[in-house]
Amino acid sequence: TGGLGQFEDNFSAPADLYTMIDELYEHLVKKSEGVYAEAGLKECVMNAALAGILAHEAIGHTTEADLVLGGSVAGDYLGKQAASPLVTLVDIAHSYDGKHCPMPIYIDDEGTTARDVVVIEQGVLKGYMHNKQSARHFGVKPTGNARAYQYMDEPLIRMRNTAILPGASKLADMIASIENGYYLIKPSNGQADTTSEFMFGVVLGYEIKNGKLGRAIKDTTISGVAFDVLQNVSMVSDEMKWSCAGMCGKKQVIPVGMGGPAIKTKINIGGR
């Protein structure tokens, strides 16, 4: 799934949406009878949508080289273990697994050929996203991350398609491995800063009790330090899902893609 193209490129008939609408209806019926999550540090499975927003907002922005030069926490992690060895996080230029990503960029707005940036590889922070100026400062090649909203705007270092890469676990096994926790499905809005501290809303999720999905939960929040959350990742699913749900607002609004697999980790959940 993803946001590539116009509506008519993705849906040829209204019937294509019926299954999705039926699934959403079932979730909402269960949520209407839902319970408040229990607040505290909990084992959770975050599905692809939440893993994607975590990768973009809380990790991706900290590794944009202009923000690193401005004091981002990622400046302390280069070459060091910043996440679980199960985590590889990449800002992908245009294609993954032979298919276009939601926001394919082949040449950036400084004329640089765009290439993938391996931000974290098996838990080690390997590099940052660059324009020409920051690349000169760090003594590396530009990565093709300079993007501008309109022709009169200054190109800034921006993400393209940021995602944690899939692992080897099955989602069902990840849920079955949790005695008392939560399966978090759909995020709402949120915020993060250059310390990688974040808070996101969660508008769809379920209890996990003794390895099985339980009752739906009411709207809640999750929060923490993103690098700590990634250090606690113990399972990564084998499915890759993309989204292109809106605009990134770093000085200029600009469309981005984000995605990934589901991840199992420990995270602070807000409760009532």
Side-chain angles (χ1 to χ4, degrees):
T1 59
L4 182 66
Q6 304 298 317
F7 181 87
E8 57 268 22
D9 298 325
N10 291 280
F11 302 104
S12 58
D16 293 341
L17 296 173
Y18 291 169
T19 299
M20 187 186 305
I21 292 170
D22 288 343
E23 290 176 355
L24 180 58
Y25 173 76
E26 290 178 9
H27 283 308
L28 292 176
V29 168
K30 293 174 182 176
K31 183 179 175 181
S32 70
E33 302 171 349
V35 297
Y36 288 104
E38 181 182 344
L41 185 65
K42 303 293 183 181
E43 274 198 313
C44 295
V45 174
M46 302 170 64
N47 87 338
L50 278 149
I53 197 171
L54 182 75
H56 173 93
E57 291 287 355
I59 298 294
H61 280 303
T62 70
T63 57
E64 293 169 328
D66 54 344
L67 297 185
V68 174
L69 290 171
S72 158
V73 67
D76 298 329
Y77 281 113
L78 188 63
K80 299 178 182 178
Q81 197 78 26
S84 160
L86 297 174
V87 174
T88 294
L89 190 153
V90 183
D91 184 62
I92 300 170
H94 49 75
S95 304
Y96 175 77
D97 198 25
K99 298 177 182 178
H100 271 135
C101 296
M103 187 47 56
I105 302 293
Y106 284 87
I107 299 175
D108 77 359
D109 292 325
E110 290 181 334
T112 300
T113 300
R115 59 184 176 88
D116 294 351
V117 180
V118 178
V119 177
I120 296 174
E121 184 175 24
Q122 296 180 352
V124 177
L125 200 152
K126 290 289 190 177
Y128 306 129
M129 291 167 267
H130 291 284
N131 61 8
K132 289 181 178 179
Q133 182 179 12
S134 71
R136 283 195 298 271
H137 177 89
F138 283 92
V140 298
K141 293 182 179 180
T143 56
N145 283 88
R147 301 179 62 196
Y149 178 56
Q150 298 185 83
Y151 72 91
M152 74 282 283
D153 292 325
E154 175 191 5
L156 303 174
I157 299 173
R158 308 299 295 271
M159 285 171 270
R160 292 86 48 102
N161 305 277
T162 312
I164 296 170
L165 298 189
S169 297
K170 298 295 183 184
L171 178 60
D173 294 335
M174 296 166 68
I175 293 170
S177 70
I178 294 178
E179 288 296 313
N180 183 29
Y182 295 94
Y183 176 41
L184 307 176
I185 299 174
K186 186 175 178 60
S188 60
N189 56 1
Q191 61 185 30
D193 60 29
T194 56
T195 66
S196 90
E197 292 184 28
F198 68 91
M199 178 179 284
F200 302 141
V202 177
V203 295
L204 187 61
Y206 289 87
E207 296 176 320
I208 302 175
K209 298 291 185 182
N210 300 316
K212 298 183 183 298
L213 292 181
R215 298 170 294 182
I217 58 173
K218 297 181 183 292
D219 290 0
T220 188
T221 59
I222 55 174
S223 62
V225 176
F227 283 106
D228 291 346
V229 172
L230 292 189
Q231 286 170 357
N232 283 315
V233 169
S234 56
M235 299 178 82
V236 179
S237 80
D238 59 359
E239 291 185 307
M240 181 73 160
K241 295 183 179 180
W242 289 103
S243 68
C244 186
M247 299 283 194
C248 176
K250 179 185 172 184
K251 296 185 180 179
Q252 306 164 22
V253 293
I254 208 162
V256 294
M258 61 189 78
I263 60 173
K264 177 188 171 185
T265 187
K266 293 179 180 178
I267 198 164
N268 284 305
I269 193 162
R272 184 184 291 268

